[in-house]
Structure formats: C-alpha cells, structure tokens
Amino acid sequence: MSAHEQFADNLALYALGSLEGSERAALQAHLAECAACRRELQKLCGDMGLLGLATMGPAPPAGARARLLSALAKEPRGGMVRKQPARWSLLMPATAAIVLAMISIVLWRQNNTLRRDLAQQLKQSGENQVEVKRAREVLALLSAPDAVRVTLVATNAKPQPQGKAIYRPQTGSLVFLASNFATLPPQKAYELWLLPTSGAAPIPVGVFKPDSRGSASVLMPSLPKDLQAKAFAITIEPETGSTSPTMPIILAGEA
Amino acid sequence: MWDTICSRASWPPSADSESRGIGLASTRPELSVSDAEIITRIYSGDEGAMALLYDRYSSVVYAVALRVLSDGSAAEDILQDVFIQLWRNPQAFNASRGSLAAWLVVIARNRAIDQLRKRRPEVEAAEIVISVDPELESTAERKLAIEKVRTVLAGMSAEQRAALEMAFFEGLTHVEIAGKTGQPLGTVKTRIRSGLLAVRKAFAV
C-alpha cells in the first residue's frame, strides 16, 4: 500500500475536521512533505463546497441584510489599509514563503490538466518538480540581497529610477523589480499601484523600500484573478501604505 | 438520512424552495458583475460590492449555517461573521484558490461546526484552499451543479448519506460516527471519502 493510499481515507476526514489524535498528527506530517496529498486535500475541500452548495433552507431573516450593511458601515473602510503591512511582511522575510506560493500556483495550474492515469501523473510530477525547481531558483535570485543588479543605460547617461512589472491577469501573478530608487525619509515608502482598465480606483499592490543600492522588489502579492491592468504607477506613501495614491506619481507605465 | 438535510424544503425541491434555499438570486442586473469584480471592489472598500455579494451568496451561507446549528439567530451570526471577515480581509480569498461560492460555503460550514462543537477554529479562512472543477459564478452554473450533487446524494445508500451527513453537518469524528451507527471504523472512513469522491465524479469531464 502506498503512502497516498494509506492516507486516502484520512484525508477526507481531515478536510472535514473529523480527524483527531495521532492519525491527525501523522497526516499533517505527511502533508508537509507530499504535494500530491495537498492537491487531493484541496479537491476534497472543493467537494465539500459542492456538497454544501446543495443545502436547502429558508432565506436569511428579512433584516439580516440591513444589519450586515449597518455593521460594515461601522468597520474601518477597506481592510487593505491594515493588510498592506501584513502582505509586505509576508513577502519580505522569507524566500521560502514566496517559493511555497509559487509552488502552489504551479501545482494548481498543472492540476487542471493532470489525468488520473498513474503513469501520466508520474510524468507530470517529474515535470512539476523541474518547474518548481526553476521557480525556486528564479525567486531565490530575485530576492537574494547579495545579487548584483545592474541597469544598463546609454553611455554617459545618468542611471534613472526604473521599475519593471511582470503581470499575468489570469492568475493575478505579479513580479516587480525596482532599481536606482532614491532613499526616502523614515516613515515613508514607495507604493506600487495597479490601475484597472475598468476605470475603478487604483489597487495597492505593495509597499517597498529600496536597499542601499536603490534596488527593491515586490514578488507575488495577493491580487484578484482576471483583473485587467491599464497601467502601473508608483507614489510615495506612509510606510504602512495608503488606500489611494498620494500625488505626484513618481513613475508610471502602461500595460 | 440525507433527506433530513433538505428537510426544510420538499424533496425533490420545488421551484419555490430552489429560490429560497440555495442562493439562486433573482434576475437582478447586478448579477452581471463577476465575483472577481466584486472582490476587486471590496479591496477598494466599496460597501456596495458587499451588498452584491450578500444578494448572491447569503442564502447558501445562511442555509449551511442553519443546517448545522438549527438556530436562526446563531446562523445569522455566522452569516454576518463570514461576510465581515471577508470585508476586513479580502486577501483571505484568493481567486486562484477556487470558486468564491464553494469557499464561502466551506468557511461558513467550518465556523458553524466550530461553534457547534464549542472549539476554537482549527484553520484560518485564508488557509482554506479549494480546487473545484465546475464554474459556479452564474446562476445557471450553480443550479446545474446543485442538481448534479442532489442526483449523487439520491443515488447513495442510506448508510453512506448518514455517515456523510454526520461528518459534514454535525462535525462528528469517524470514531463518534462508528459509535453512533455501530459500523466498523474503516467502513465509516471509506463511506465518507467515497461519498465526497462521488460528488467530484459527477463533474468529471
């Protein structure tokens, strides 16, 4: 019996929160090391969602909608204000966390095309590992503080601040690299904005501070899927980020 | 036993019960707005987006919470909690992690079970990752998915539906279910897993 078969039934119980004790601990240890079982766990959660979707019952009480909207009105507008530092702090300290996010995206994309045939899965798994390895190498390079960053400009020209955003709307994936940025006063930071083609308000992508050589990056921030970008822009904001850009725009580029 | 899940409505469901119970909103023009757009607007602090989200999914979120807790007031608390948490932290839902409808259902179910079992949440909403094959954004897609799930449930043995119901809506462990039904532990485990897989299989291409 393979490890996956051994844990198969317990995975369903784990998804439901019905697994306890040593079996739960053993499965969690296995999940930490087994991408196939993590994918299966995601599918089982999806199965739960479909199951719950078919639940029937009366509509919410008549006043529930008004009560919710009233409660929202008392909440600070836009959770993103508080979440910006969290997003940045999640991205900054650990390359491992970023790599894990990349691995998840890669595996998720592959997941849609995997066949149940075992031979095909093994083949795909090998390809995944190669892709994950490459993603890990790329991200390690992008986030390495000791990596040499060189901006090539015309001879005799003074290096100018530059930002390069690589964005894929279908997955909400973004990598942003900055170079030659000036140091800002304490309590200030640069903030990257996504300007939607829909004309909606600019969406904060990430706050960053350049290192001593003027370099910085924003890697794989949490963005909605299928959000079409008209342009990207950079402003100077408080280091905790802002809900809307503060003029002037320092750098901008059309997508 | 699964029929008791749908006990607040007829079986098979009537057209009226459909509209009341499963989050199938009316033909409001707002439904042309995609889930991704709604989430984007929530990022911007748009309370109107939350109203759209409520109109689209409050019924199914409430239905799941009510089925678990059998208490309208407590179910409304779960409903409010799920939506307010999304408002405070829209990053908790990442569109690349699957369907918003399925995600909300699982979050509501888990919170209701935590309350029922009087235990601390074991998994944060942002940690819930869902992989769902069918598209569930449009009313028609959700309706089709619901019909498929109900067909699967109707085709299960009474014992399997009971095991699935006790695990999903009561949050019982397999040990508790085995004790309650007198079935071997292994049988209970297998029935629960194969029940979930049967739902997935209904959507296999």
Side-chain angles (χ1 to χ4, degrees):
Chain A
M1 179 183 283
S2 74
H4 304 311
E5 290 169 338
Q6 178 190 341
F7 288 112
D9 286 343
N10 282 356
L11 264 180
L13 296 174
Y14 184 75
L16 287 158
S18 299
L19 194 66
E20 294 183 318
S22 59
E23 285 186 303
R24 178 183 174 87
L27 178 58
Q28 285 179 322
H30 176 69
L31 281 169
E33 298 177 349
C34 181
C37 283
R38 287 199 297 272
R39 287 198 299 275
E40 176 61 15
L41 180 61
Q42 293 172 13
K43 287 187 175 182
L44 287 165
C45 287
D47 301 335
M48 287 173 57
L50 292 168
L51 194 60
L53 202 65
T55 309
M56 298 185 65
R65 187 178 192 273
R67 285 191 285 274
L68 173 65
L69 296 179
S70 174
L72 290 180
K74 295 171 186 169
E75 292 281 326
R77 181 179 172 276
M80 60 184 179
V81 176
R82 290 185 301 278
K83 290 303 162 187
Q84 283 294 349
R87 186 187 310 170
W88 183 243
S89 64
L90 281 173
L91 289 171
M92 276 298 290
T95 301
I98 299 166
V99 170
L100 280 176
M102 279 294 289
I103 291 171
S104 297
I105 291 169
V106 169
L107 293 176
W108 177 80
R109 288 171 56 197
Q110 291 293 339
N111 186 45
N112 289 333
T113 55
L114 278 174
R115 296 290 180 262
R116 290 185 174 79
D117 177 72
L118 179 59
Q120 178 67 14
Q121 284 192 356
L122 289 172
K123 178 173 176 287
Q124 200 75 50
S125 174
E127 293 171 358
N128 283 349
Q129 287 181 12
V130 171
E131 195 168 352
V132 166
K133 182 172 180 291
R134 182 164 175 74
R136 183 183 289 116
E137 290 170 348
V138 170
L139 282 170
L141 173 63
L142 290 175
S143 55
D146 58 347
V148 176
R149 292 171 173 79
V150 179
T151 303
L152 304 182
V153 298
T155 309
N156 300 326
K158 184 181 178 184
Q160 296 294 314
Q162 284 190 339
K164 294 183 188 302
I166 303 164
Y167 177 56
R168 190 165 188 262
Q170 294 91 330
T171 56
S173 307
L174 181 139
V175 171
F176 176 77
L177 303 174
S179 56
N180 301 320
F181 273 59
T183 303
L184 292 174
Q187 317 301 324
K188 291 287 185 182
Y190 294 101
E191 187 159 16
L192 176 64
W193 301 88
L194 184 155
L195 280 58
T197 53
S198 63
I203 294 173
V205 176
V207 180
F208 62 91
K209 286 188 173 183
D211 60 21
S212 59
R213 289 171 292 185
S215 299
S217 61
V218 178
L219 304 178
M220 302 302 294
S222 179
L223 288 171
K225 194 170 68 172
D226 293 329
L227 178 61
Q228 299 298 324
K230 181 173 65 180
F232 289 89
I234 293 172
T235 59
I236 297 174
E237 308 289 345
E239 62 181 356
T240 54
S242 298
T243 56
S244 57
T246 303
M247 294 297 116
I249 292 173
I250 306 301
L251 286 178
E254 291 189 1
Chain B
M1 194 167 177
W2 186 271
D3 291 2
T4 60
I5 294 171
C6 307
S7 61
R8 291 167 182 80
S10 58
W11 178 265
S14 66
D16 175 59
S17 61
E18 287 261 334
S19 63
R20 288 186 293 110
I22 54 180
L24 300 184
S26 65
T27 54
R28 294 183 181 185
E30 292 90 334
L31 288 180
S32 61
V33 180
S34 72
D35 285 353
E37 286 177 81
I38 290 177
I39 293 295
T40 301
R41 288 168 60 179
I42 291 172
Y43 268 83
S44 305
D46 181 350
E47 291 177 16
M50 288 300 295
L52 286 178
L53 193 71
Y54 182 92
D55 292 340
R56 189 169 296 183
Y57 294 127
S58 62
S59 289
V60 70
V61 169
Y62 181 76
V64 169
L66 182 62
R67 177 64 186 86
V68 171
L69 296 168
S70 301
D71 179 329
S73 176
E76 185 181 335
D77 287 344
I78 296 291
L79 172 69
Q80 298 245 350
D81 186 42
V82 168
F83 280 81
I84 287 176
Q85 288 302 318
L86 185 64
W87 170 254
R88 288 174 178 164
N89 183 18
Q91 291 93 337
F93 173 73
N94 186 326
S96 67
R97 293 178 169 184
S99 149
L100 179 58
W103 187 79
L104 287 170
V105 164
V106 172
I107 299 301
R109 179 266 176 192
N110 288 355
R111 287 184 187 278
I113 291 292
D114 287 338
Q115 182 165 323
L116 183 71
R117 307 277 296 187
K118 295 182 171 55
R119 67 187 184 192
R120 294 171 63 85
E122 294 182 339
V123 180
E124 292 298 323
E127 297 173 21
I128 300 291
V129 182
I130 284 180
S131 174
V132 180
D133 282 338
E135 295 290 341
L136 299 171
E137 278 201 27
S138 76
T139 302
E141 288 164 344
R142 289 199 298 278
K143 186 172 184 179
L144 180 63
I146 289 163
E147 289 305 318
K148 283 188 175 182
V149 173
R150 288 182 185 155
T151 300
V152 170
L153 295 174
M156 284 182 188
S157 68
E159 292 81 7
Q160 184 166 34
R161 280 199 303 275
L164 203 51
E165 177 184 33
M166 284 187 271
F168 189 82
F169 287 114
E170 298 178 35
L172 297 185
T173 67
H174 64 293
V175 176
E176 291 169 327
I177 295 170
K180 207 170 179 179
T181 61
Q183 298 293 322
L185 281 175
T187 302
V188 172
K189 279 187 179 182
T190 302
R191 280 179 177 156
I192 291 171
R193 175 175 174 249
S194 62
L196 289 175
L197 294 184
V199 171
R200 188 189 308 169
K201 190 177 177 183
F203 295 91
V205 178

